[in-house]
């Protein structure tokens, strides 16, 4: 049996508190402080640098060693040998499916790919030039209005059907957001296609032409989806958990996750990284640009990570995928890729980046791959949202299924005015 271990916190007023130390299966121990508030003591950790917000069995990251596991399986193995829907099953259910379970899961997801016809009307309410992420936040949230019959979050069957619906419909909505922006007609899903293939079909096919997906490019998109599927308690996942902790319905929770993902420090980084490469424009400007980063005029987008202080393992896979895609498209001499390689070389040998432990993250390469696939920059974060939907649902489901979650309610260090009396307007 595990020995009870404790940490002792001693305050400068002489008070002393004993706190249990908890261990996981991997990763650092955590000190259980959840009873401290009862003693009138709060901890202060605004951006959660040192806070484990929950217990989870889904994803493990070791940022110093550069490791990422989904349910114990290394991301490199999943990216090489699995496919996105199998990874979805794994994240949601905890184990890899056997052949029968896999076929059944794929069939269920496929049977939910269409959206209610009323959903198509939402689109015309948006300006044509609306950012597709704005459309995603609105339309995914609006799904809550369509499934009143299955929104009892305490009913596991309701949670299952909501998970399948979201997994199946988010790509359809994403492709519709793209079509709406470009003014092209919506393409209904074609269920003979696989998940990534269908997404490409709905984004790129037109009723006028036959569309034949390129298997190398489909595989690259599938890999992007696998690499972005989950990443433990990041900003958007924590947002989903916090929204879900109040008992909000899953569609509303996922919509809040999409909103949190949009920011350039999170899911918006792939768009920002590609824009940055285009702004630099030429290999000859790399040194000057890197100097600007060191002078803190701007950040090198696609570099650095809160958790990884080593190479992001997803970045290594994405770098390889980048080569494969550019080769397939005969774009090996692609100017942006050459620029990215030079930027990477320069940054990785510069003491500023070495000292700050700043390595390329997955978004440094995913922007180049997405762009080579023909996906416009404003859709990059949308693709990330499609991929992360399964992570959000799995984390939300884990929290609700645990049965002992409470509403998330942080406290604060108040530094505002002390009590004062109201001053009538004439006397101000
Ligand atoms: N370029 C230049 N300097 C940086 C960068 C960067 N990309 N990232 C961090 N730093 C510096 C920062 O200036 C600070 O320096 P100093 O200590 O001298 O003041 C130090 O590193 C620590 O920065 P921080 O902001 O406290 O670190 P953080 O852990 O809060 O930030 C981050 C993590 C991802 C927000 C940040 O590295 C960043 O802004 N990167 C660029 C955006 C990006 O690529 N985001 C995608 C993350 S991967 C996709 C995902 O999982 O969402």
């Amino acid at each position: 049996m595990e020995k009870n271990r404790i940490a002792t916190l001693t305050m400068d007023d002489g008070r002393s508190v004993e706190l249990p130390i908890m261990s996981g299966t991997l990763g650092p121990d955590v000190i259980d402080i959840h009873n401290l508030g009862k003693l009138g003591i709060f901890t202060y950790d605004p951006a959660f640098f040192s806070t484990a917000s929950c217990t989870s069995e889904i994803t493990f990251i070791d940022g110093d060693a550069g490791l990422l596991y989904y349910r114990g399986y290394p991301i490199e193995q999943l990216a090489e040998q699995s496919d996105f829907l199998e990874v979805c099953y794994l994240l949601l259910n905890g184990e890899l499916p056997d052949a029968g379970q896999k076929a059944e899961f794929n069939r269920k997801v496929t049977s939910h790919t269409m959206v209610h016809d009323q959903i198509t009307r939402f689109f015309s309410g948006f300006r044509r030039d609306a950012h597709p992420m704005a459309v995603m936040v609105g339309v995914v949230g609006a799904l809550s209005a369509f499934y009143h019959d299955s929104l009892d979050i305490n009913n596991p069957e309701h949670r299952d059907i909501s998970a399948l619906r979201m997994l199946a419909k988010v790509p359809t909505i994403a492709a519709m957001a793209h079509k709406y922006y470009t003014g092209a007609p919506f393409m209904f899903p074609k269920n003979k296609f696989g998940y990534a293939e269908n997404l490409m079909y709905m984004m790129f096919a037109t009723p006028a032409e036959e569309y034949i997906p390129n298997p190398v490019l489909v595989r690259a998109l599938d890999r992007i989806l696998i690499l972005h599927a989950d990443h433990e308690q990041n900003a958007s996942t924590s947002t989903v958990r916090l929204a879900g902790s109040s008992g909000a319905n899953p569609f509303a929770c996922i919509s809040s996750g999409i909103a949190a993902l949009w920011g350039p420090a999170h899911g918006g980084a792939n768009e920002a990284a590609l824009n940055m490469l285009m702004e630099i424009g030429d290999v000859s400007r790399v040194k000057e640009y890197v100097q600007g980063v060191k002078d803190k005029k701007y950040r090198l987008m696609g570099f650095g990570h809160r958790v990884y202080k080593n190479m992001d393992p997803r970045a290594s896979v994405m770098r390889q995928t980048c080569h494969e895609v550019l080769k397939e498209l005969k774009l090996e001499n692609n100017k942006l890729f050459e620029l990215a390689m030079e930027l990477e070389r320069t940054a990785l040998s510069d003491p500023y980046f070495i000292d700050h432990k700043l390595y390329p993250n997955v978004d440094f390469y995913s922007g180049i791959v997405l762009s080579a696939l023909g996906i416009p920059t404003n859709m990059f974060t949308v693709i990330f949202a499609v991929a992360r939907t399964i992570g959000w649902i799995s984390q939300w489901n884990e929290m609700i299924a645990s049965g002992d979650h409470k509403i998330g309610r942080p406290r604060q260090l108040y530094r505002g005015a002390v009590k004062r009396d109201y001053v009538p307007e004439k006397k101000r």
Side-chain angles (χ1 to χ4, degrees):
M1 214 174 101
E2 199 189 330
K3 195 166 147 257
N4 287 339
R5 294 160 61 217
I6 52 160
T8 307
L9 173 73
T10 307
M11 309 276 290
D12 59 358
D13 61 6
R15 280 184 295 168
S16 178
V17 191
E18 290 194 339
L19 301 162
I21 300 176
M22 299 167 71
S23 296
T25 47
L26 290 171
D29 291 340
V30 302
I31 301 172
D32 177 357
I33 57 163
H34 87 274
N35 278 326
L36 270 184
K38 290 182 189 155
L39 304 171
I41 306 165
F42 298 126
T43 54
Y44 184 69
D45 186 18
F48 305 122
F49 276 91
S50 310
T51 296
S53 62
C54 62
T55 300
S56 180
E57 297 178 5
I58 301 176
T59 293
F60 173 75
I61 302 174
D62 181 334
D64 293 322
L67 305 176
L68 169 61
Y69 303 160
Y70 293 165
R71 300 282 190 182
Y73 296 103
I75 191 68
E76 297 85 349
Q77 292 181 22
L78 293 169
E80 191 55 45
Q81 299 172 52
S82 185
D83 60 72
F84 180 64
L85 271 189
E86 185 175 72
V87 166
C88 291
Y89 184 99
L90 173 70
L91 287 170
L92 206 49
N93 300 295
E95 297 297 335
L96 287 168
D98 62 26
Q101 288 166 327
K102 184 169 173 168
E104 178 61 3
F105 184 69
N106 290 5
R107 189 194 62 75
K108 280 185 182 162
V109 173
T110 305
S111 65
H112 286 286
T113 50
M114 295 204 25
V115 292
H116 193 291
D117 200 45
Q118 290 300 116
I119 288 280
T120 56
R121 314 262 177 105
F122 274 82
F123 283 83
S124 51
F126 289 102
R127 283 171 57 134
R128 285 274 174 187
D129 62 356
H131 195 290
M133 279 299 275
V135 176
M136 291 295 287
V137 173
V139 178
V140 173
L143 289 177
S144 338
F146 289 80
Y147 302 109
H148 291 296
D149 59 331
S150 50
L151 288 184
D152 176 2
I153 61 163
N154 296 312
N155 181 332
E157 282 173 18
H158 285 200
R159 292 202 302 274
D160 277 355
I161 181 89
S162 295
L164 290 171
R165 280 180 173 144
M166 259 178 294
L167 191 52
K169 292 180 202 307
V170 166
T172 309
I173 295 170
M176 290 169 86
H178 171 57
K179 288 293 191 191
Y180 187 73
Y181 186 85
T182 55
F186 297 143
M187 295 299 288
F188 287 128
K190 240 192 201 351
N191 291 343
K192 68 173 184 183
F193 288 139
Y195 196 87
E197 208 173 14
N198 210 359
L199 177 55
M200 286 182 91
Y201 168 79
M202 289 187 288
M203 276 192 296
F204 299 133
T206 68
E209 303 275 346
E210 199 189 346
Y211 179 79
I212 303 168
N214 174 327
V216 175
L217 306 188
V218 169
R219 180 75 188 122
L221 183 58
D222 196 72
R223 212 168 258 174
I224 289 179
L225 298 180
I226 293 175
L227 295 180
H228 288 85
D230 195 42
H231 214 223
E232 56 121 295
Q233 309 312 318
N234 55 83
S236 57
T237 303
S238 299
T239 303
V240 169
R241 279 192 180 252
L242 196 54
S245 76
S246 74
N249 77 69
F251 301 100
C253 296
I254 301 307
S255 169
S256 72
I258 296 173
L261 185 74
W262 195 355
H266 192 7
N270 48 18
E271 183 173 343
L274 195 78
N275 287 338
M276 174 192 76
L277 290 176
M278 292 195 282
E279 189 194 322
I280 301 173
D282 193 81
V283 172
S284 62
R285 290 201 54 229
V286 165
K287 277 211 164 60
E288 170 199 339
Y289 195 85
V290 167
Q291 189 55 48
V293 173
K294 286 157 55 176
D295 294 341
K296 299 207 183 280
K297 290 188 191 149
Y298 37 75
R299 286 189 170 202
L300 201 53
M301 299 315 287
F303 264 70
H305 199 274
R306 170 62 63 80
V307 183
Y308 295 119
K309 301 303 171 196
N310 199 325
M311 189 79 178
D312 177 344
R314 303 168 301 172
S316 315
V317 179
M318 195 41 65
R319 196 175 196 248
Q320 174 61 28
T321 305
C322 202
H323 278 290
E324 286 167 18
V325 167
L326 296 179
K327 187 163 172 244
E328 172 68 16
L329 296 173
K330 304 197 177 16
L331 291 172
E332 286 114 316
N333 299 326
N334 176 285
K335 209 174 158 194
L336 284 186
F337 190 59
E338 279 177 3
L339 186 52
M341 291 297 103
E342 179 58 23
L343 196 56
E344 185 193 74
R345 257 191 307 275
T346 310
L348 289 181
S349 58
D350 190 297
Y352 175 91
F353 293 87
I354 296 168
D355 294 348
H356 284 79
K357 297 191 174 164
L358 294 170
Y359 293 86
N361 58 51
V362 65
D363 291 327
F364 188 63
Y365 305 101
S366 64
I368 300 171
V369 179
L370 289 168
S371 153
L373 296 182
I375 296 172
T377 324
N378 66 3
M379 282 294 290
F380 287 6
T381 316
V382 174
I383 301 293
F384 193 159
V386 171
R388 189 54 60 83
T389 295
I390 187 61
W392 292 327
I393 299 169
S394 304
Q395 300 268 352
W396 170 84
N397 194 44
E398 178 179 65
M399 177 181 73
I400 305 292
S402 75
D404 66 353
H405 75 277
K406 294 201 167 25
I407 185 166
R409 180 36 170 113
R411 298 302 302 266
Q412 61 172 6
L413 177 65
Y414 177 68
R415 283 200 166 141
V418 295
K419 180 179 179 282
R420 48 186 173 165
D421 290 324
Y422 181 77
V423 182
E425 195 178 304
K426 273 188 243 152
K427 293 196 177 166
R428 282 177 218 160

